[in-house]
Amino acid sequence: MAAAGIRNIFIANQITHPLKLKRLRDLHEKTKLAVGTDHPRQIRLLNEYFSDLQSALDVLIEIDSGLQRCGLLPGPRLIDLARQIKESEYLNFKGIFTHAGQVYSAGSTEEIRRIAGQEAQIMLQSRQLLQENGIGCEIISVGSTPSAPYLVDQEGVTEIRPGNYVFYDNIQYKLGSCRTEQWAMFVLATVISQPAAQRIIIDAGSKALNLDRGAHATNLTEGYGRILNLRGEIVRLSEEHGVIQLDNAEEIIPGSAVLIVPNHACAVTNLYAKFYLLNQDGSFEIIPVDARGMSQ
Amino acid sequence: MAAAGIRNIFIANQITHPLKLKRLRDLHEKTKLAVGTDHPRQIRLLNEYFSDLQSALDVLIEIDSGLQRCGLLPGPRLIDLARQIKESEYLNFKGIFTHAGQVYSAGSTEEIRRIAGQEAQIMLQSRQLLQENGIGCEIISVGSTPSAPYLVDQEGVTEIRPGNYVFYDNIQYKLGSCRTEQWAMFVLATVISQPAAQRIIIDAGSKALNLDRGAHATNLTEGYGRILNLRGEIVRLSEEHGVIQLDNAEEIIPGSAVLIVPNHACAVTNLYAKFYLLNQDGSFEIIPVDARGMSQ
């Protein structure tokens, strides 16, 4: 990676609602942040909301590198939007960013590498188009956790955002993004019943593990998490119950612990009020999850 | 329904972990509650944890009426478990309960009615078996929201638990359990972008709407919630983004509101710190969601 150092900023994506714009303004006064956008209307809103502040707001344009969610393609709309930002008195045009989330549908390492290549290509193409129109890009920011390793040495890229690397999870493992010893988040459940020889029930359902079987609503995993200390699959989740199909008939006493690597660590984080951090010496610290439930 | 009055109790299901048993004990001293169980080990734990309290704990046995989650079938294990409860010094055997959650896979009203019939039949069969063995059932408790209406006049049933009726939701509507004017929970999202003529993006993803497309991990609905004020489908959820495919190409300005009936109100409740209650006069009250995130 062309070293850009670590920026002390956070890309707040596509902020549009007035209440959220106000919160963004408050945050901007406390820390350095950048805002991602892909629409002229957002530029007008941002310029309006930040008009009476001392420092201008850094803005990046989101590029669609294949996820087909937000973002522009290299073309006239991209040039127009960059120009609009440059002409906005209270905004700084800083560059472009993308998230190649379609990588979560990849079936092989080769496909992940191919998607990472596409991700880089469309970003460089966007940079070139802007340059040809007299607009420089200071930041070229890419990243999905699976594609990030293939972009570390990519010419032109100034930043990667390998979001999930703090915890990793079962989905990242399935995609080959991590090794088992890199898993850092576990859900500890309790067996509450064994109604049949090959069926046990745990006290962790969709409110504890989520229904994710892949990111962006893909279905990458068979079950709803990876069990580490029993041979079986979490085949079904109700809200408070998890149904485990055991590989073999064996008696499991209610009260037994079941250690699970969640499918999607990000979504699971949002379900808990606190984490228990296990230190090297075996002691625990409690870490509150302050930002969960902030949809409102 | 054979009127049993409204009991001031809550069925705490299959409590097994020591920390949860302690919380249950604390609750039992403050209010009247009943505990559901289906395993001898739980009976021993409950009897142990409640041994030094003044009042005995009411216990119900869970019957599996077809969901294949927790619960026993009418048979020797049921008789043995009821006897064990009756012989436990600090426990009262009160009766049986079930949740016919397989109704969420029903394709028609006829099928829901048939499942409700099975639910009643297996409960009455269980009661009879216990009676033949000298064990009386004071409580016969049934209920899933879709099957509940068909069990109101059912002989023998003393209690229905139509859990979802407070809010209803898109899944209940799909199952014919409610009419549109009975919906009482809505998620208000904001359009943040329109990257393509028939694709808009909202600021509500899986952290705001959940991935439920049916209860118990069924796939009843096409999308991830029902949009009330636009013609389109929520086809995909990332964590913070919802992707809406519009039926027709039309310009939707970012900042526009999108009103959504969630697929599964129960799971959505767990995602928010507070609700806004709209009064008749148009004023709002804030209701905190105290019990969310209580998996730990």
Side-chain angles (χ1 to χ4, degrees):
Chain A
M1 181 168 63
I6 292 169
R7 290 184 301 126
N8 188 21
I9 69 166
F10 166 77
I11 300 178
N13 200 353
Q14 314 284 358
I15 306 298
T16 312
H17 192 279
L19 287 175
K20 293 186 179 176
L21 284 163
K22 276 179 198 146
R23 267 154 62 186
L24 194 69
R25 229 186 86 125
D26 292 347
L27 255 179
H28 179 65
E29 296 194 271
K30 288 183 204 156
T31 185
K32 184 161 176 54
L33 54 78
V35 175
T37 177
D38 67 358
H39 199 284
R41 168 83 178 153
Q42 286 167 353
I43 307 296
R44 282 197 294 277
L45 284 169
L46 289 170
N47 197 48
E48 184 186 316
Y49 271 80
F50 285 77
S51 61
D52 61 344
L53 295 185
Q54 295 265 321
S55 60
L57 178 71
D58 288 347
V59 176
L60 293 102
I61 294 179
E62 182 161 2
I63 303 295
D64 181 2
S65 55
L67 177 58
Q68 297 192 291
R69 192 175 63 182
C70 291
L72 299 177
L73 298 171
R77 283 173 69 193
L78 173 60
I79 303 166
D80 288 349
L81 202 70
R83 282 206 181 114
Q84 190 193 346
I85 298 168
K86 285 187 83 71
E87 287 160 10
S88 297
E89 194 173 348
Y90 307 103
L91 308 179
N92 282 335
F93 177 70
K94 292 292 277 187
I96 51 178
F97 77 103
T98 194
H99 171 60
Q102 74 274 22
V103 76
Y104 287 96
S105 306
S108 65
T109 307
E110 289 65 39
E111 205 179 336
I112 295 173
R113 190 187 294 271
R114 189 181 56 74
I115 290 169
Q118 282 178 343
E119 189 179 358
Q121 195 192 357
I122 204 161
M123 293 302 275
L124 296 179
Q125 204 180 331
S126 301
R127 181 185 69 170
Q128 193 183 338
L129 182 68
L130 290 168
Q131 272 173 340
E132 286 166 6
N133 285 272
I135 303 164
C137 283
E138 185 185 324
I139 295 170
I140 310 283
S141 175
V142 300
S144 71
T145 309
S147 68
Y150 303 103
L151 296 166
V152 169
D153 295 316
Q154 174 62 52
E155 180 275 321
V157 165
T158 67
E159 175 178 276
I160 53 171
R161 306 185 317 279
N164 192 266
Y165 76 99
V166 181
F167 292 123
Y168 286 120
D169 54 30
N170 191 34
I171 290 171
Q172 297 299 344
Y173 179 70
K174 279 283 225 180
L175 286 163
S177 310
C178 68
R179 299 182 308 276
T180 57
E181 69 268 29
Q182 291 178 298
W183 284 326
M185 180 198 282
F186 307 92
V187 172
L188 187 61
T190 304
V191 176
I192 56 168
S193 184
Q194 182 168 33
Q198 280 184 258
R199 184 169 87 241
I200 58 171
I201 313 295
I202 54 172
D203 62 354
S206 65
K207 288 177 179 170
L209 291 168
N210 253 320
L211 293 171
D212 297 67
R213 287 170 52 206
H216 311 298
T218 51
N219 286 322
L220 192 71
T221 66
E222 290 297 311
Y224 294 94
R226 178 177 290 257
I227 305 169
L228 294 183
N229 60 336
L230 279 177
R231 288 188 195 186
E233 183 86 81
I234 307 171
V235 292
R236 189 151 50 99
L237 297 180
S238 304
E239 285 168 67
E240 286 94 10
H241 300 74
V243 179
I244 294 175
Q245 180 72 26
L246 296 172
D247 291 353
N248 307 300
E250 54 175 323
E251 198 192 342
I252 309 285
I253 299 168
S256 304
V258 178
L259 193 63
I260 301 161
V261 178
N263 276 349
H264 189 183
C266 314
V268 166
T269 305
N270 188 53
L271 293 175
Y272 291 86
K274 55 182 187 258
F275 278 17
Y276 293 88
L277 176 68
L278 179 59
N279 293 317
Q280 293 270 6
D281 64 3
S283 66
F284 281 98
E285 275 173 62
I286 289 176
I287 303 184
V289 183
D290 293 329
R292 76 172 187 141
M294 286 299 145
S295 306
Q296 59 210 23
Chain B
M1 180 169 61
I6 292 169
R7 292 182 300 124
N8 188 19
I9 69 167
F10 167 76
I11 300 178
N13 200 352
Q14 315 283 359
I15 306 298
T16 312
H17 192 280
L19 286 175
K20 293 186 180 176
L21 284 162
K22 276 180 199 147
R23 266 156 62 187
L24 193 68
R25 231 186 84 123
D26 292 346
L27 255 178
H28 179 63
E29 296 195 270
K30 288 184 204 155
T31 185
K32 184 160 175 55
L33 52 80
V35 175
T37 176
D38 66 358
H39 199 285
R41 168 84 179 153
Q42 285 167 353
I43 307 297
R44 284 198 292 280
L45 284 170
L46 289 170
N47 197 48
E48 186 186 315
Y49 270 80
F50 285 78
S51 61
D52 60 346
L53 295 185
Q54 296 263 323
S55 59
L57 178 71
D58 288 346
V59 176
L60 292 104
I61 295 178
E62 181 160 3
I63 303 295
D64 181 1
S65 55
L67 178 57
Q68 296 191 290
R69 194 175 62 180
C70 289
L72 299 176
L73 298 170
R77 283 172 70 192
L78 173 60
I79 303 165
D80 289 349
L81 201 72
R83 284 209 178 110
Q84 189 193 347
I85 298 169
K86 284 187 84 70
E87 287 161 10
S88 297
E89 194 173 348
Y90 307 104
L91 308 179
N92 282 333
F93 177 69
K94 292 292 276 187
I96 52 178
F97 78 102
T98 194
H99 170 60
Q102 74 274 22
V103 76
Y104 287 97
S105 306
S108 64
T109 308
E110 289 65 38
E111 205 179 336
I112 295 173
R113 190 187 294 271
R114 189 181 57 73
I115 290 169
Q118 283 178 344
E119 190 180 358
Q121 195 193 356
I122 205 160
M123 293 302 275
L124 296 178
Q125 205 180 329
S126 301
R127 180 185 70 170
Q128 192 182 337
L129 182 69
L130 289 168
Q131 271 173 343
E132 285 166 5
N133 286 272
I135 303 164
C137 283
E138 186 184 322
I139 295 170
I140 310 282
S141 176
V142 299
S144 71
T145 310
S147 67
Y150 303 103
L151 295 166
V152 170
D153 295 317
Q154 174 62 51
E155 179 275 321
V157 166
T158 67
E159 176 178 276
I160 52 170
R161 307 185 316 280
N164 191 265
Y165 76 100
V166 180
F167 292 124
Y168 287 122
D169 54 29
N170 191 33
I171 290 171
Q172 297 298 345
Y173 179 71
K174 280 282 224 179
L175 286 163
S177 309
C178 68
R179 299 182 306 277
T180 57
E181 68 268 27
Q182 291 178 298
W183 283 327
M185 181 198 281
F186 307 92
V187 172
L188 187 61
T190 304
V191 176
I192 57 168
S193 183
Q194 182 169 32
Q198 280 184 259
R199 183 170 87 240
I200 58 171
I201 312 296
I202 53 173
D203 61 354
S206 65
K207 287 178 179 170
L209 291 168
N210 253 320
L211 292 171
D212 297 65
R213 287 169 51 206
H216 311 298
T218 52
N219 286 322
L220 192 72
T221 64
E222 289 297 311
Y224 294 92
R226 178 177 291 257
I227 304 169
L228 295 182
N229 60 335
L230 278 177
R231 289 187 194 189
E233 184 86 81
I234 306 172
V235 292
R236 189 152 50 99
L237 298 180
S238 303
E239 286 167 66
E240 287 94 9
H241 300 73
V243 179
I244 295 175
Q245 181 71 28
L246 296 172
D247 291 353
N248 305 301
E250 54 176 323
E251 198 193 341
I252 309 284
I253 300 168
S256 303
V258 178
L259 193 63
I260 300 161
V261 178
N263 277 349
H264 189 184
C266 314
V268 166
T269 305
N270 189 53
L271 294 176
Y272 291 86
K274 54 181 188 260
F275 278 16
Y276 293 87
L277 176 68
L278 179 59
N279 293 316
Q280 295 269 5
D281 64 3
S283 66
F284 281 99
E285 275 174 62
I286 288 176
I287 303 184
V289 183
D290 292 329
R292 76 174 188 138
M294 285 299 144
S295 306
Q296 57 209 21

